[in-house]
Amino acid sequence: MSTVFDEQPDLGDQDLPNMDLEDRHALRRVAGLSTELQDVSEVEYRALRLERVVLIGVWAEGGLASAENSLRELSRLAETAGSEVLDGLIQRRSRIDAATYVGSGKARELAGIVAAAGADTVICDGELTPSQLRNLEGVVRVKVIDRTALILDIFAQHARSREGKAQVELAQLQYMLPRLRGWGESLSRQAGGRVAGGGGIGTRGPGETKIETDRRRLRARISRLQKDIASMSTGRKVQRGQRRRRDVPSVVIAGYTNAGKSSLLNALTGAGVLVEDALFATLDPAVRRAETPSGRTFTLTDTVGFVRHLPHQLIDAFRSTLEETAEADLILHVVDGSDAEPEAQIAAVRAVLAEIGAGHVPELVVVNKIDSADPVVLQGLRAREPGSLSISAKTGAGLGALRDAIESALPRLDVQVKLTIPYSRGDLVARAHAEGEVLATEHSADGTLLEARVPPGLAAQLEAVLDDRVQVQA
């Protein structure tokens, strides 16, 4: 079912002092938050996990359109998590309220809206401090979560591999640790000395509270998960090292969530990885072999999507996975050309790339979904991102130009050889085709005359064969 909201006058990008007091303090409803159920499987899924939510955001900086787009993105995140969005509201403030996020008066007004809508959860478009979370829950009298907790919940639902599940659990525990709260008498449950065993006078002490016990257990679990993730990342490091020794270039597909990264991987390699019109459909990186138009081999890696205000806990937990991006030779930065704010997507992705140490890696901006994008928006993107390419992974438009651009952007092999390889070492000729760039071949009575650009290690082996042949003839 869809919710129809009251029409509100467009306030534009006016400064706070120029706004009427009523407009400045009002909770504005945001239109266009869809809650339609798409198919039977989704209906069954939500029947198992249905939450009725009200969204609340604070417009403290930027324009109104940006604030509303952020709340619409939060609505999509909530639906991805299996919730039904009942209402979405924005309050304009000069800054976030330190106590209740929206201010005490607005918190009481929000409580009335929540009660009238029959909601059981409030989702805030920002990260709440532990005190803000407690204070706001105390006023609205329903569960309150923030954007970070919502994203973590989606990751937990989509994690499939052992490493992915461990990374998500680590992020959740790191988020939960400072937010542990004691309820009822749990904070007063203490046991010191031999109290539990009836030690008597002189054996009782303050001991450890329930919440302290929980914190200690969480820290122990976090430490264990960090060790497990470190050990699981060893295999990936070994594979990267093997590719480096063979001088196989690495290309990583990065970008905003649901920008079409997996579709592009499938279009370039025929990988057949999951493609779904959903946020964070890909959590586990997929590495596939690909070739340039001239036949040069490289690896193409699909990575987890980024989002505005991506939780730092997730970046830390997925750092071992994101190392693939920081060590790449080229980043294909995929942008959703049909999005309302593609420039904001680009800024959010580049912020995360800089945080994981990938800001130095050469970047090729690839604007995807041109089949459904506004031509005016595409023209603006081309002007702001010179050198970018426009494609459609769905229809295949522009993929030929993208393959050529990848080949031009890959690091060149710096050793050029021209020598005759005996027919008995045809394996070396095959390796030159697989690992290098063969410029010309010619067959003679003595063997194959090979002219190619090859990795330094292979060049040394080719020259060693030539030296051995000269010594035998001498």
Side-chain angles (χ1 to χ4, degrees):
M1 63 180 188
S2 298
T3 306
V4 180
F5 303 107
D6 299 335
E7 292 292 329
Q8 297 285 343
D10 188 357
L11 301 181
D13 294 335
Q14 305 172 58
D15 295 330
L16 282 172
N18 298 328
M19 297 183 65
D20 293 335
L21 187 64
E22 182 180 354
D23 286 335
R24 197 160 66 239
H25 293 294
L27 287 176
R28 293 174 49 85
R29 282 182 164 83
V30 177
L33 303 181
S34 171
T35 59
E36 294 289 342
L37 299 178
Q38 300 299 321
D39 53 34
V40 175
S41 61
E42 190 174 355
V43 172
E44 293 173 347
Y45 171 68
R46 290 195 185 179
L48 295 173
R49 186 185 162 74
L50 182 63
E51 291 185 74
R52 296 162 57 84
V53 304
V54 169
L55 312 179
I56 178 68
V58 171
W59 171 21
E61 58 183 17
L64 174 61
S66 178
E68 290 187 339
N69 285 332
S70 180
L71 204 70
R72 290 192 180 99
E73 181 178 86
L74 186 70
S75 173
R76 290 195 64 200
L77 289 169
E79 291 182 343
T80 301
S83 299
E84 179 187 4
V85 179
L86 302 178
D87 210 338
L89 309 109
I90 294 179
Q91 183 196 14
R92 179 151 197 183
R93 300 178 59 89
S94 59
R95 60 183 179 273
I96 303 294
D97 184 75
T100 59
Y101 182 70
V102 294
S104 57
K106 292 295 108 178
R108 289 191 293 271
E109 186 177 340
L110 176 63
I113 294 172
V114 167
D120 52 33
T121 305
V122 169
I123 304 179
C124 297
D125 192 18
E127 183 166 338
L128 303 182
T129 65
S131 61
Q132 286 173 331
L133 191 64
R134 287 193 298 269
N135 294 337
L136 190 56
E137 270 191 355
V139 177
V140 299
R141 299 296 179 183
V142 295
K143 181 173 66 175
V144 175
I145 65 173
D146 58 16
R147 187 185 184 95
T148 299
L150 177 60
I151 293 174
L152 290 175
D153 183 80
I154 295 171
F155 269 59
Q157 293 181 47
H158 287 186
R160 293 292 179 266
S161 69
R162 178 168 169 258
E163 184 176 14
K165 291 178 180 178
Q167 288 169 324
V168 172
E169 183 183 355
L170 174 61
Q172 287 180 313
L173 294 181
Q174 289 173 332
Y175 171 81
M176 188 188 306
L177 186 60
R179 291 169 173 80
L180 282 178
R181 292 173 291 177
W183 296 98
E185 297 181 353
S186 61
L187 283 174
S188 63
R189 281 187 278 170
Q190 300 177 341
R194 299 200 307 275
V195 172
I201 297 174
T203 64
R204 289 181 284 267
E208 191 174 41
T209 64
K210 174 66 165 59
I211 199 167
E212 287 169 347
T213 303
D214 291 341
R215 284 184 179 135
R216 176 170 52 80
R217 289 173 177 168
L218 281 185
R219 290 191 184 100
R221 179 61 179 163
I222 287 173
S223 178
R224 180 62 188 171
L225 286 170
Q226 288 172 334
K227 293 178 181 177
D228 289 346
I229 292 171
S231 65
M232 284 184 279
S233 68
T234 302
R236 195 164 42 250
K237 290 180 180 178
V238 170
Q239 291 174 347
R240 283 202 301 269
Q242 291 174 342
R243 293 197 294 266
R244 289 298 179 191
R245 283 193 295 273
R246 296 178 58 194
D247 293 297
V248 178
S250 171
V251 178
V252 167
I253 304 175
Y256 212 75
T257 180
N258 207 35
K261 298 182 297 300
S262 297
S263 297
L264 180 58
L265 178 71
N266 289 342
L268 291 176
T269 67
V273 299
L274 170 69
V275 173
E276 186 177 352
D277 184 17
L279 304 183
F280 302 117
T282 301
L283 291 189
D284 301 312
V287 183
R288 297 293 185 269
R289 180 181 179 274
E291 289 186 354
T292 64
S294 67
R296 186 179 177 191
T297 300
F298 65 96
T299 60
L300 195 60
T301 304
D302 186 18
T303 60
V304 62
F306 302 145
V307 72
R308 295 181 187 91
H309 314 300
L310 190 67
H312 291 287
Q313 295 90 347
L314 275 176
I315 296 176
D316 291 338
F318 278 74
R319 192 167 295 277
S320 62
T321 301
L322 296 173
E323 286 174 357
E324 193 85 29
T325 305
E327 297 183 13
D329 295 300
L330 175 67
I331 294 176
L332 297 184
H333 181 168
V334 182
V335 182
D336 183 355
S338 65
D339 187 76
E341 286 188 307
E343 296 89 353
Q345 286 193 3
I346 293 174
V349 170
R350 284 176 175 164
V352 177
L353 291 176
E355 188 169 349
I356 63 175
H360 66 284
V361 180
E363 174 193 56
L364 177 60
V365 176
V366 181
V367 182
N368 192 22
K369 304 184 183 180
I370 59 172
D371 53 306
S372 57
D374 186 342
V376 176
V377 174
L378 292 177
Q379 185 176 359
L381 279 174
R382 293 190 192 102
R384 279 184 287 272
E385 296 293 335
S388 63
L389 293 176
S390 299
I391 69 157
S392 171
K394 181 179 179 181
T395 65
L399 291 182
L402 175 59
R403 289 188 176 96
D404 292 337
I406 292 173
E407 182 164 31
S408 299
L410 290 179
R412 303 306 305 171
L413 301 174
D414 54 2
V415 179
Q416 184 165 339
V417 296
K418 185 176 182 180
L419 38 76
T420 300
I421 306 298
Y423 290 121
S424 61
R425 295 309 309 269
D427 59 307
L428 292 179
V429 178
R431 284 187 57 189
H433 280 279
E435 301 176 23
E437 181 180 358
V438 176
L439 304 177
T441 58
E442 183 179 336
H443 300 288
S444 67
D446 296 328
T448 302
L449 176 61
L450 177 71
E451 184 177 359
R453 294 190 186 97
V454 294
L458 180 55
Q461 293 184 46
L462 291 170
E463 291 171 355
V465 170
L466 185 61
D467 292 341
D468 291 342
R469 185 174 181 179
V470 171
Q471 290 175 7
V472 169
Q473 289 177 345

